[in-house]
Amino acid sequence: MSTTDDAPTSGAPGPEARADTTPPVHEEPPAPDATAPADSGEPAGTGPDDDRRGPHGDDRHDDGPDGAGPDDDGRSAEEPGEQGESPPDDDARSRKSGPQARDAEDRYRAETVSAAAFNEAFNNAMSFGGNAYTLNVGTAKAAELQRIRLDATETARQHQLHRSVQQQERMAETLRDHHLVTLVGPAGSGREGTGTFLLADRCGSDRVAVLHSADADLLQALIAQARRCLKRGEGVLVGLGSRRPAQSTLRALSLLAHEHGAYVVLIVDSTGIDDDLPAPYAFRHRRPEPRQVLDAHLRSALEEHRARCTDRDRCDRARTRRYADGVLDDARMGGKLDAAPTIDWITAFARNIVGCLHGPEDALDILLDTPHEDLRSLARRFLKLSEPQDAEGEPSASEAETHHQAVRISYVLGHDLPLSDVLRMGTRLSAEMLRAEYRESAPARPVFELDLDRLVAPGMGIAAEPGSHPADNPRRARLTDPELMPAVIEVIWHGFGWLRDPLIAWLRALADDRLERVGTRAAVIVGQLLRHDFDGVYRDVVKDWARSPSVRDRRYAAMALSVAMADDDPRLTAQVARQVRDWSGSPRPQLQDSAARAYGTQVGTQDVPGTLRALQDLGGRPALDPYASVAYSTAALYLAEGGAAPVGEALGRWIRADDGHLPRHAVRTLLVLGPLAAGPELPSRPTLAHQVMEAPGSEETLLLLWQRALIDPAHSGQAWHLLRDWLVAADDDEELALFLEKFALRIWRPKDRRALFHLRRWARQLPSARLIARLLRGLGGC
């Protein structure tokens, strides 16, 4: 057949078939009801009178264009197809033709039931008392297709508000060239809107219809009734549900649509199997950018409201434009759109926003702050934890379902981690779940399809839209609401006890991951589990981490206790503080180090002076000399609100202590805090120097810290490097330069050989460093 780029005009003759092209015909003629072929052993078109008549006894066939009745074979002259061949019948040659002969034959055949048909009916029959049976014998009925024309005004409005989706230009080209396109996507992704747009763009807003039928095989019925359903120059939208048409079926429908000059868009639901889509007719449909959809529908709804509103002073165009801009720029809007389940929800949300225009002052805030649904219910539905269970109460999911469930759990608990980490975490969790389910010591490694776009599709209320965040490289897991993470943890721990052991084993394995960010996430998850079962989780995980010879494990233990306190539960806070005190009083060096690290988290910031006394006690013990935990925790307290002054006083006591332990921890604290800037307004000024410049009384403490640091064999190299950075930064800060020029000359004695060595070397490396040159002259080095 020839193809046309433009829709043919109404009434124009259809395209002629080429001589070398076989028209799309049925191998067998359709039965009188146009749905099933006639039995090859019977003359076509014959059957009982009741089968050829409507419910009121009228003839079911249509008269031809000239008013003629059906042909001698019992079919309308308008019906497509060719006369099927019948087996040789000698009596048929002498049998009289005409209405009376056919009626006699129909009556005879209506009384004859083949053995195969009887057996099939008998097997499906209903028995009464073992003696009586009810048999239903009849022929298949034609599928009832309803063709409903869409309102032209509403279709034009949808055409105007539609926002493009991926590959939309290719969809339009396919519809133009093949008169058929199939959109495969999840419900709520705007498939119908895209299909309506394509048809309206091709045929016009007043020439789009929807085809509906309660019959399961809608596509086959459309092919059989193409002459009635496909009109020249018009478009038809057909929803097929989850039934995916075959390539041959799509080609046949494409040829029929081309022959009749019509255009067809098929809508197919996404399934769990991502087979290759039949080319060139099918495309995967992804929903458009939610913010663009909201923008278009919100401004359109505001214009409609402004046209109806009687308060012209409050509804002028400038005010509605400012209102729309303010709503779209609201920081809460990103989370609302990320969790939007469907495109229809976004359009309804736009109308709700318009309803807040003249409402109470807090109406919009209430709308934006109201969650879509309960997070726990959303978590249960997303994880599919409400699976059928066997007699023993254990889940009866297959290995594939278990693996996919593990990936979903990993996605939520791996929020903001790269997807490569999430998939690796999910594979580990799946192994633990399968081990618990099948009681195997080493289950086979699962190899299943892991399409995150299907398992964690945007619009489910879990995953954020990819375009709602800056471009990630690598791509990361994003949640619509970070509070989904603790909700999922609570659902797993309290709702399904069989998942507890696999979850604990998984977290212990993640702590040994080669990437520290994965181990850190395990510590965060353990901390949230402590809120639900402190004694059990501490015994199974945190206790071993706190005693571990690995510094990283001890840091994870401190972090877990800090996360547990973030719930602001007084009882839990007291329990965590008591546990850290127990670590501090233990004779084990590892537990003492774990306590020192815990004091640098939220556990210690609750009471900075009390925590500094505890750190001073720990720092005075020889067991913590090899570790920098006291220094890092002291630095964390310094950065806490109101912690600078108490930490400064504590460092003054430590650097003047008689033992050799506390001065070493004080020097380490100087090296930890030294590179930190005073703030964004003073990016080149060290925070310790800024504190002394603001409070000159603490200058002596800083002087002692520097003098001890520059001669300490373990830290002098790092200290000299840090001092050079301070002197170079002072060239961009005149006040800092004046302070350091006097301060540095107090650190060294005149003609100090070590100072002259470093200053001369820095002067050669940095000839433009002005303060270094002045200090070199001040020491008499040039």
Side-chain angles (χ1 to χ4, degrees):
M1 294 185 180
S2 61
T3 58
T4 56
D5 289 346
D6 299 327
T9 58
S10 178
E16 298 181 357
R18 294 183 300 188
D20 58 346
T21 303
T22 304
V25 297
H26 299 279
E27 294 182 359
E28 300 181 33
D33 56 10
T35 58
D39 192 340
S40 60
E42 300 169 359
T46 60
D49 288 343
D50 292 341
D51 290 339
R52 294 187 296 109
R53 295 180 177 272
H56 302 291
D58 54 322
D59 292 342
R60 296 183 64 179
H61 60 74
D62 297 329
D63 292 339
D66 298 331
D71 295 340
D72 291 343
D73 59 358
R75 292 188 300 132
S76 172
E78 291 285 337
E79 271 185 297
E82 299 178 359
Q83 176 65 40
E85 296 182 0
S86 300
D89 189 353
D90 295 338
D91 294 339
R93 297 188 182 94
S94 60
R95 190 176 299 154
K96 294 182 180 180
S97 61
Q100 294 180 353
R102 286 199 303 272
D103 290 344
E105 183 180 356
D106 291 343
R107 284 193 298 272
Y108 169 77
R109 293 189 54 184
E111 297 170 357
T112 303
V113 180
S114 65
F118 179 82
N119 290 334
E120 179 180 1
F122 185 85
N123 291 333
N124 296 312
M126 297 179 61
S127 173
F128 299 93
N131 297 321
Y133 296 91
T134 299
L135 301 180
N136 294 324
V137 181
T139 59
K141 295 184 179 180
E144 297 182 1
L145 301 180
Q146 297 179 351
R147 190 174 183 277
I148 305 172
R149 180 73 63 87
L150 296 181
D151 180 73
T153 304
E154 180 61 23
T155 303
R157 178 179 175 274
Q158 293 183 14
H159 186 276
Q160 181 182 5
L161 297 178
H162 177 76
R163 291 300 176 262
S164 298
V165 298
Q166 296 179 15
Q167 297 185 312
Q168 183 165 306
E169 294 183 359
R170 290 187 55 200
M171 297 175 186
E173 293 174 359
T174 301
L175 183 63
R176 179 197 66 194
D177 297 339
H178 300 280
H179 289 243
L180 171 70
V181 69
T182 303
L183 306 182
V184 182
S189 62
R191 305 166 303 174
E192 292 79 4
T194 301
T196 303
F197 176 88
L198 294 173
L199 292 174
D201 205 44
R202 190 70 194 156
C203 307
S205 301
D206 59 339
R207 302 177 69 83
V208 179
V210 174
L211 198 65
H212 171 73
S213 174
D215 189 76
D217 202 353
L218 173 60
L219 194 58
Q220 187 62 33
L222 173 60
I223 293 177
Q225 304 180 41
R227 180 180 297 275
R228 180 176 66 85
C229 298
L230 301 180
K231 304 297 182 181
R232 185 168 301 278
E234 295 188 1
V236 178
L237 189 69
V238 184
L240 299 181
S242 60
R243 297 172 64 92
R244 288 200 176 188
Q247 176 83 16
S248 57
T249 305
L250 293 178
R251 176 169 176 77
L253 182 58
S254 173
L255 294 174
L256 284 173
H258 192 287
E259 178 182 351
H260 294 287
Y263 297 88
V264 180
V265 173
L266 303 179
I267 304 297
V268 180
D269 294 339
S270 293
T271 61
I273 304 176
D274 291 331
D275 296 331
D276 293 336
L277 302 180
Y281 310 104
F283 294 87
R284 195 170 306 284
H285 186 278
R286 305 185 187 279
R287 69 178 187 174
E289 170 59 37
R291 184 171 292 274
Q292 296 180 5
V293 176
L294 178 65
D295 189 311
H297 284 268
L298 175 59
R299 298 186 188 278
S300 175
L302 283 172
E303 285 298 314
E304 294 178 0
H305 171 79
R306 191 178 62 83
R308 298 191 307 266
C309 186
T310 57
D311 191 351
R312 297 296 181 181
D313 295 336
R314 300 178 59 190
C315 268
D316 61 293
R317 181 163 297 174
R319 185 177 185 276
T320 56
R321 186 182 297 113
R322 288 193 304 269
Y323 180 74
D325 293 340
V327 170
L328 294 172
D329 293 339
D330 193 289
R332 296 167 291 182
M333 189 57 66
K336 298 294 288 187
L337 294 179
D338 286 343
T342 63
I343 294 297
D344 289 339
W345 185 94
I346 297 177
T347 59
F349 184 55
R351 292 191 294 270
N352 293 336
I353 293 175
V354 175
C356 299
L357 181 61
H358 298 322
E361 293 183 0
D362 60 344
L364 182 60
D365 292 332
I366 294 176
L367 179 64
L368 295 179
D369 292 334
T370 302
H372 293 281
E373 59 178 312
D374 179 64
L375 292 181
R376 293 173 181 82
S377 300
L378 177 61
R380 293 178 65 91
R381 179 165 50 83
F382 171 70
L383 297 179
K384 297 185 177 179
L385 293 179
S386 300
E387 298 287 350
Q389 297 184 346
D390 57 22
E392 298 180 357
E394 297 292 339
S396 58
S398 66
E399 288 190 14
E401 291 170 342
T402 299
H403 191 55
H404 293 165
Q405 185 184 73
V407 172
R408 288 190 174 97
I409 294 174
S410 300
Y411 187 94
V412 177
L413 301 186
H415 170 60
D416 208 33
L417 291 178
L419 290 184
S420 58
D421 296 347
V422 170
L423 293 177
R424 190 155 43 85
M425 291 164 59
T427 302
R428 285 187 173 184
L429 179 58
S430 172
E432 298 297 339
M433 293 169 65
L434 291 174
R435 182 178 291 112
E437 186 172 355
Y438 295 106
R439 303 296 188 266
E440 294 180 0
S441 59
R445 182 188 178 201
V447 181
F448 300 113
E449 181 183 10
L450 292 178
D451 184 1
L452 281 176
D453 290 334
R454 176 173 57 83
L455 294 176
V456 194
M460 299 174 66
I462 296 291
E465 287 286 343
S468 62
H469 297 276
D472 290 329
N473 187 13
R475 184 181 169 192
R476 297 178 179 273
R478 300 287 191 185
L479 297 180
T480 60
D481 187 349
E483 290 301 317
L484 280 166
M485 184 175 172
V488 166
I489 292 174
E490 181 180 356
V491 166
I492 294 174
W493 195 256
H494 290 301
F496 297 85
W498 77 275
L499 278 175
R500 291 186 178 184
D501 290 341
L503 188 65
I504 291 297
W506 176 62
L507 293 172
R508 294 173 66 95
L510 291 185
D512 297 329
D513 193 88
R514 64 181 183 272
L515 296 177
E516 189 169 351
R517 62 174 178 258
V518 175
T520 301
R521 180 54 52 87
V524 172
I525 299 171
V526 169
Q528 293 180 351
L529 286 175
L530 287 171
R531 304 176 186 178
H532 305 295
D533 184 5
F534 186 90
D535 295 335
V537 176
Y538 176 83
R539 180 188 62 249
D540 294 338
V541 183
V542 180
K543 182 179 180 180
D544 293 337
W545 283 352
R547 294 180 172 185
S548 172
S550 170
V551 172
R552 190 170 68 167
D553 287 349
R554 299 199 294 271
R555 185 165 61 248
Y556 293 160
M559 184 181 302
L561 291 186
S562 174
V563 173
M565 287 187 62
D567 202 29
D568 296 331
D569 183 350
R571 180 191 59 81
L572 186 60
T573 299
Q575 191 172 9
V576 169
R578 184 168 57 252
Q579 185 60 64
V580 175
R581 286 196 302 269
D582 291 344
W583 288 352
S584 178
S586 171
R588 291 174 176 262
Q590 292 82 8
L591 289 177
Q592 294 178 25
D593 183 64
S594 297
R597 296 179 187 278
Y599 282 132
T601 65
Q602 188 175 354
V603 178
T605 57
Q606 302 289 324
D607 179 15
V608 174
T611 302
L612 287 172
R613 290 191 296 271
L615 287 174
Q616 181 173 332
D617 178 65
L618 288 170
R621 304 176 190 178
L624 293 187
D625 273 358
Y627 308 118
S629 53
V630 173
Y632 277 102
S633 294
T634 305
L637 296 177
Y638 179 91
L639 298 175
E641 184 178 359
V647 169
E649 296 174 0
L651 291 177
R653 295 192 303 269
W654 296 0
I655 197 63
R656 295 176 176 89
D658 296 332
D659 63 79
H661 308 303
L662 285 174
R664 181 168 299 167
H665 291 298
V667 168
R668 289 171 177 167
T669 305
L670 167 68
L671 298 179
V672 173
L673 290 174
L676 302 180
E681 68 282 355
L682 296 171
S684 61
R685 181 176 300 181
T687 182
L688 290 176
H690 180 71
Q691 181 189 15
V692 173
M693 293 169 64
E694 294 292 325
S698 59
E699 183 175 344
E700 292 301 321
T701 296
L702 184 61
L703 181 64
L704 292 175
L705 288 171
W706 272 114
Q707 289 176 342
R708 181 65 178 259
L710 294 176
I711 64 173
D712 190 324
H715 305 98
S716 60
Q718 187 178 356
W720 282 103
H721 184 79
L722 176 62
L723 182 59
R724 186 199 65 174
D725 293 342
W726 278 29
L727 299 179
V728 172
D731 288 339
D732 298 329
D733 189 336
E734 187 174 349
E735 294 182 11
L736 178 63
L738 293 174
F739 167 75
L740 288 181
E741 186 173 2
K742 297 178 181 178
F743 181 78
L745 293 176
R746 292 187 61 194
I747 298 176
W748 310 304
R749 300 184 306 272
K751 302 287 185 178
D752 187 289
R753 294 176 56 188
R754 186 186 297 265
L756 288 175
F757 169 78
H758 286 287
L759 288 173
R760 285 169 180 161
R761 184 164 61 91
W762 296 341
R764 290 193 302 268
Q765 295 173 350
L766 304 168
S768 61
R770 299 186 300 273
L771 180 57
I772 292 177
R774 294 202 303 270
L775 290 174
L776 186 58
R777 289 193 298 269
L779 282 178
C782 60

